[in-house]
Amino acid sequence: CLNPLHTALAIFGCLLGHKTIADEMQDSELSELVRRMAYDEGLKAVVDPKIISPLEFVDEVLNKRFSNPYIVDTPQRIATDTSQKLGIRYGETIKAYEQRDDLEVSSLKYIPLVIAGWLKYLQGIDDEGGTFKLSSDPLMDMLMENRHDIKVLLSNTSIFAVNLYELGLGGKIEALYHEMNGGKGGIRRTIRNLLDQK
């Protein structure tokens, strides 16, 4: 419930020039993005532990923790080791959608957007066209070698726990990635366009 949203904010925080997670929650589009990820996609695949309500936990994360200016957490720190987090934070949710009769992988919109954002993040170029330093990652050499061959990355089951093309998400992610590469402001426009689809 928490970690996928944290990673989404880390990736887009780096791309959009934010300095803290709390600042990002003041960004109406990023705040709306993680809310929709949580309520529209993530919670549907959560197994209720019966000890704490997943819905109440998400409410607290979004309304109190992430927006708390006294928790000075930076997108750049949270973006560390992202290749090690994508499988458990997104791949497992995607697998749950694939395995359950009441969920459709093709309905996912916001998780594919975050994965496309990560591919854009690997370019080290922000939404204004400036460069930024990538956070450390144990797969950095491989990622840099393949960052322009996104098919290699999206089909890598050691990163995502699934082959995203085999589940029908590879093309959707590619399209979002190419939209983000549409010049200055392309990342923000891509987020806004997806949110406008409702």
Side-chain angles (χ1 to χ4, degrees):
C1 291
L2 181 154
N3 291 333
L5 310 181
H6 230 182
T7 293
L9 289 171
I11 290 167
F12 286 117
C14 292
L15 289 169
L16 297 175
H18 287 287
K19 300 304 180 189
T20 69
I21 298 296
D23 285 346
E24 288 187 77
M25 293 304 288
Q26 302 304 309
D27 182 318
S28 61
E29 287 159 344
L30 292 183
S31 175
E32 181 66 13
L33 170 61
V34 291
R35 288 178 191 283
R36 291 199 199 174
M37 276 187 66
Y39 296 118
D40 298 352
E41 293 183 349
L43 278 175
K44 292 178 181 178
V46 168
V47 176
D48 189 343
K50 307 297 184 187
I51 298 169
I52 182 173
S53 161
L55 178 59
E56 289 178 8
F57 181 72
V58 167
D59 287 343
E60 183 174 329
V61 164
L62 290 172
N63 298 318
K64 295 181 180 178
R65 177 170 172 167
F66 283 173
S67 57
N68 185 342
Y70 298 106
I71 301 177
V72 185
D73 223 342
T74 68
Q76 294 74 22
R77 186 190 76 78
I78 302 296
T80 301
D81 302 340
T82 297
S83 72
Q84 308 301 292
K85 302 170 182 176
L86 295 169
I88 193 68
R89 296 186 179 184
Y90 302 115
E92 292 303 319
T93 299
I94 293 167
K95 283 200 285 188
Y97 270 70
E98 174 69 13
Q99 293 164 359
R100 284 176 43 177
D101 294 334
D102 59 329
L103 297 173
E104 295 286 340
V105 173
S106 60
S107 70
L108 293 170
K109 298 192 299 187
Y110 308 114
I111 289 174
L113 177 71
V114 175
I115 295 172
W118 180 66
L119 296 173
K120 179 65 177 171
Y121 165 87
L122 293 177
Q123 308 305 314
I125 300 172
D126 65 25
D127 209 23
E128 297 300 312
T131 59
F132 62 90
K133 182 180 179 182
L134 300 181
S135 300
S136 63
D137 193 294
L139 296 184
M140 188 61 76
D141 289 345
M142 185 277 286
L143 296 173
M144 291 302 95
E145 183 180 335
N146 293 288
R147 64 180 171 171
H148 298 297
D149 190 349
I150 60 176
K151 283 185 170 60
V152 169
L153 297 178
L154 295 179
S155 60
N156 189 322
T157 57
S158 68
I159 295 176
F160 294 105
V162 294
N163 181 322
L164 292 164
Y165 289 99
E166 290 178 356
L167 297 184
L169 290 179
K172 180 183 285 190
I173 294 166
E174 279 191 42
L176 290 165
Y177 169 74
H178 290 306
E179 187 177 345
M180 288 182 189
N181 280 305
K184 188 175 179 180
I187 299 165
R188 175 75 68 180
R189 282 193 301 274
T190 304
I191 296 170
R192 185 178 300 129
N193 289 343
L194 196 67
L195 292 175
D196 286 346
Q197 291 175 18
K198 295 288 180 181

